[in-house]
Amino acid sequence: VCLFVVCFRLLHMTMTSSLTSSSSSSVTVNVAAHTFKTVYPTEYYSRFLEHGIRPDGRAPSKSRKCSIATGTISKANGSALVTMGGTSVVCGIKAEFANPRLDNGKLGWIVPNVILSPMCSSRFKIGRPAPEAQRLTTFLKDVICSGAVVSEEDICIIPDRLAWVLYIDVQCLNYDGNVIDACVLAVMTALRNTTLPKVLLPDDLTELEGVPEVDISIQTPLNVKRTVAACTHALVNNKLMNDPTIDEETLCAASITLVMDEEARICSICQPAPHIPSPTVDSATPLSKKQMDLCINRAEKTCSSLITKIETSLFSAKGSSETSQ
């Protein structure tokens, strides 16, 4: 209670005092607001939400500014860099030869891996992968394979003998909330950007010994069956926040991630969101049917907008490549 009174007195003093320097007054107000946010984060957010806005100025339904750069890693078969607000993620895809899967010789391999290191946030430590990274990796594998984005059968070269393995490495560069949407967007763009070299096979496959040669001058785009994007909501003070920041994720009582394709079909649902293991407040609040319907309606618009950004980025990258040639 004493801290609460001190914070408000400090705010009152900075607003009523006649300071000669306006910049000094602004700094003092910012310090007081930061102190209030740190000590009473729920109350801090409540004050904003009462007026229908969030601390960063967005309405609850709005996403942060998003940008996509395609083909950012020259040595990869496909790559993309995605920035959503303060969250940045880079994805690189490398294709290598491997034996087909043991349980089904007609299938190749898709191996995603999400890295959340101390470089992107102090909440992650050096050592074994963070639980959030493991859940994100599992979720991405489910979206790609179970969501019918890429068929593992399409990357099998010779049944029971030779296949492609696609290593999909996702590195978070800066973690400021909603990393799952950024990961899905980066992976999806990188997959659409991926090309595979022509494999030189003998007419008689029985003559094939070891690993075949490839012709890198002939590249074939990876067969991507559908383009998807993700939209995550967090429930803060009983209000649904689209594209939550790290602060909103910390305060959320529930969360949900929806993955949709270009025809607004739901490909995957995860509740809570894969990078938010459980509510971090005292009491969990399940989403009502009305709230679920709102999430779906917002996701249709958000995912459609993100997929359009993917297409625009790929088109720009293709144009740049043709110009350079």
Side-chain angles (χ1 to χ4, degrees), residues 48 52-60 62:
F48 284 93
I53 61 170
R54 296 146 83 171
D56 59 8
R58 288 183 293 154
K62 297 299 182 181

Side-chain angles (χ1 to χ4, degrees), residues 19-318:
L19 298 177
T20 57
S21 172
S22 60
S23 61
S24 175
S25 176
S26 176
V27 170
T28 306
V29 171
N30 288 338
V31 171
H34 178 73
T35 302
F36 181 52
K37 174 184 175 182
T38 303
V39 179
Y40 300 101
T42 303
E43 181 66 20
Y44 176 83
Y45 265 83
S46 297
R47 296 298 176 89
F48 284 93
L49 295 178
E50 287 174 359
H51 299 282
I53 61 170
R54 296 146 83 171
D56 59 8
R58 288 183 293 154
S61 62
K62 297 299 182 181
S63 302
R64 294 172 292 182
K65 184 178 179 181
C66 173
S67 64
I68 306 174
T70 306
T72 52
I73 305 176
S74 60
K75 299 299 183 181
N77 293 82
S79 60
L81 171 66
V82 168
T83 300
M84 299 182 73
T87 295
S88 298
V89 169
V90 64
C91 174
I93 300 178
K94 192 66 176 176
E96 296 181 1
F97 288 130
N99 293 322
R101 283 173 44 174
L102 295 176
D103 59 333
N104 189 334
K106 296 181 180 181
L107 301 180
W109 299 85
I110 295 176
V111 185
N113 180 43
V114 177
I115 303 171
L116 299 175
S117 68
M119 176 183 69
C120 69
S121 174
S122 58
R123 65 166 53 190
F124 306 116
K125 308 301 179 184
I126 297 176
R128 61 182 301 178
E132 294 92 333
Q134 297 178 37
R135 287 190 294 271
L136 285 168
T137 297
T138 301
F139 183 75
L140 288 176
K141 178 65 180 293
D142 181 69
V143 168
I144 297 170
C145 297
S146 301
V149 173
V150 175
S151 172
E152 293 170 299
E153 189 171 355
D154 289 343
I155 54 176
C156 180
I157 303 169
I158 306 174
D160 299 317
R161 291 194 60 183
L162 187 66
W164 288 111
V165 52
L166 300 182
Y167 293 106
I168 305 175
D169 292 315
V170 185
Q171 171 79 58
C172 182
L173 304 178
N174 193 63
Y175 190 102
D176 189 32
N178 198 19
V179 70
I180 179 57
D181 289 9
C183 285
V184 171
L185 194 61
V187 169
M188 193 67 251
T189 307
L191 286 171
R192 291 283 306 275
N193 178 242
T194 297
T195 58
L196 300 174
K198 181 180 179 180
V199 182
L200 303 177
L201 298 174
D203 294 333
D204 186 357
L205 294 180
T206 59
E207 298 177 359
L208 178 63
E209 295 182 3
V211 178
E213 295 183 354
V214 297
D215 186 351
I216 60 174
S217 65
I218 303 177
Q219 298 282 337
T220 302
L222 179 66
N223 184 19
V224 179
K225 299 182 180 297
R226 67 203 305 195
T227 302
V228 302
C231 178
T232 296
H233 284 82
L235 188 68
V236 181
N237 286 18
N238 207 35
K239 294 183 181 294
L240 286 166
M241 306 291 125
N242 184 14
D243 185 17
T245 64
I246 191 170
D247 292 330
E248 291 166 345
E249 290 178 352
T250 303
L251 296 172
C252 76
S255 61
I256 184 172
T257 296
L258 289 155
V259 179
M260 291 185 173
D261 66 7
E262 57 269 68
E263 297 182 12
R265 294 175 297 190
I266 297 177
C267 307
S268 181
I269 298 178
C270 188
Q271 186 180 3
H275 63 293
I276 308 176
S278 59
T280 51
V281 295
D282 293 336
S283 58
T285 304
L287 296 179
S288 65
K289 183 182 183 303
K290 183 178 180 180
Q291 290 171 329
M292 286 288 292
D293 290 340
L294 179 59
C295 289
I296 293 173
N297 289 335
R298 287 182 181 176
E300 289 181 0
K301 298 177 182 179
T302 300
C303 291
S304 176
S305 174
L306 293 176
I307 290 173
T308 299
K309 288 182 180 293
I310 292 177
E311 301 295 343
T312 301
S313 175
L314 292 168
F315 182 78
S316 298
K318 182 179 180 180

